[in-house]
Amino acid sequence: LSFFGYFGHILFANKKYPEALEYLEKALDADENDPFSLYWKAVVLHALQKYNDALHCCEKIIETNTIHEIPKPFDYLVGLAWTEKADIQNSLGEYENALESIDKAISITDESLKATNVWVGKGIIYQNLGNHEDALQCFEKSLSLDNNNTLLMNYKSVELAELGRFDEAEKCCKDIISIDKSQSNSWGNLASIYLEKGNYVKSFECSSISLSIDPDNLVALQTQFVVLSSFKKYNEALDVIERILKIEKNSRMQVAKINMLLKLNLNAKALEYTDEVLSRNFFKDNELVPILSYKIKLFLNSQEHEKMLTVCNKVLSIDENDENALIGKCIALNGLRKFPECLDCCNELLRID
């Protein structure tokens, strides 16, 4: 085992990724086929989101093993290389390829290693495919090999909730908390489960405990946002949205912020933020329409019919049957006194209904 390779692994464990990469490359300068250093280089590159370079390292281990089998005690690295390859393909959204790679890992990996590596990896791929039943089976398989692993129990609770089995999911979260009360994810998941069950008070309590452990827990923050909104505490809900957006910018929360600003009658700020969001981000059509729909509402409130018509036409260029945009267009055309065009638009709306 190369000193440089081992030290690179230690640096990775301490999240010093550039330094880890430097030492792993020194190890590979001495032996370009060193499977230990190649594997950890792949892991580091994956963490740095250099996916193609990471894949190359995994494939080099697999290729080396094909030419001449990697000897013990490093033969286990072949299974890990297939598992890491699957994880990288999963990160790239290549879920079917990832399944093929993880199945190869399962076929060659020692049973004792499958609990935390292979079966978890396969379960996460199924999660991303929306196949929650198979994901649950994978996490249950991993738990059969390591039954007190709270990380695996968390995965299981999420899948039970996704399948609508909320009582079982609740019990699973409580089992985790009985083992370790400092599990922020479990408190967050429990908050989400209580939300689904309509118990908003317990949901808020659990999300608060989660956030006292980890202030950046997204599940707990999103749950608090829903609870505060339902109680019409819009200022507090807006504060939570701001916290979420500092951690992760996504179109759903950006739309939620616009909605909160409107509920607080901060129309000018809502319009300013909408324009800012649209100028800074590239959205898929299904993400763009909800944001533009709020812009239509803002121009309706301010009676800016020309601008409203422009936005309605933009939405209709994406989805010609969008009812909100058609209604907005009718109102805008009427406000602009373009009555024949307004009548045509109303007829189009009636046709859809």
Side-chain angles (χ1 to χ4, degrees), residues 211-314:
L211 293 169
S212 71
I213 300 165
D214 176 10
D216 293 338
N217 188 294
L218 281 170
V219 173
L221 284 167
Q222 288 163 356
T223 302
Q224 280 211 343
F225 159 67
V226 175
V227 173
L228 289 166
S229 298
S230 70
F231 290 155
K232 298 185 178 180
K233 295 185 176 182
Y234 299 134
N235 280 307
E236 292 173 58
L238 183 60
D239 289 342
V240 174
I241 291 173
E242 297 288 11
R243 288 173 65 184
I244 294 170
L245 289 171
K246 283 180 182 177
I247 301 164
E248 177 186 81
K249 284 185 168 52
N250 65 67
S251 61
R252 189 169 65 86
M253 283 295 107
Q254 288 168 332
V255 169
K257 179 175 176 178
I258 297 166
N259 187 35
M260 284 299 105
L261 290 168
L262 284 170
K263 287 184 181 296
L264 290 164
N265 294 316
L266 299 171
N267 290 357
K269 282 191 175 181
L271 183 58
E272 181 184 349
Y273 179 70
T274 303
D275 287 338
E276 178 189 328
V277 168
L278 291 170
S279 67
R280 290 186 180 181
N281 298 278
F282 174 77
F283 294 101
K284 296 176 183 175
D285 286 349
N286 65 324
E287 297 172 329
L288 185 59
V289 168
I291 296 171
L292 290 174
S293 295
Y294 274 111
K295 198 165 185 180
I296 293 169
K297 188 173 181 181
L298 285 163
F299 286 139
L300 174 62
N301 290 345
S302 60
Q303 296 291 295
E304 295 179 76
H305 295 120
E306 196 70 60
K307 291 179 179 179
M308 183 178 172
L309 181 60
T310 300
V311 180
C312 289
N313 284 333
K314 173 65 176 175

Side-chain angles (χ1 to χ4, degrees), residues 71-110:
K72 292 181 181 297
F74 299 111
D75 55 333
Y76 73 96
L77 289 163
V78 182
L80 290 182
W82 279 108
T83 303
E84 182 63 20
K85 182 177 179 179
D87 287 345
I88 297 163
Q89 289 167 326
N90 186 45
S91 295
L92 290 166
E94 299 173 3
Y95 302 131
E96 297 299 335
N97 290 338
L99 273 179
E100 288 182 18
S101 296
I102 207 73
D103 282 338
K104 181 65 178 177
I106 288 169
S107 71
I108 64 175
T109 302
D110 182 83

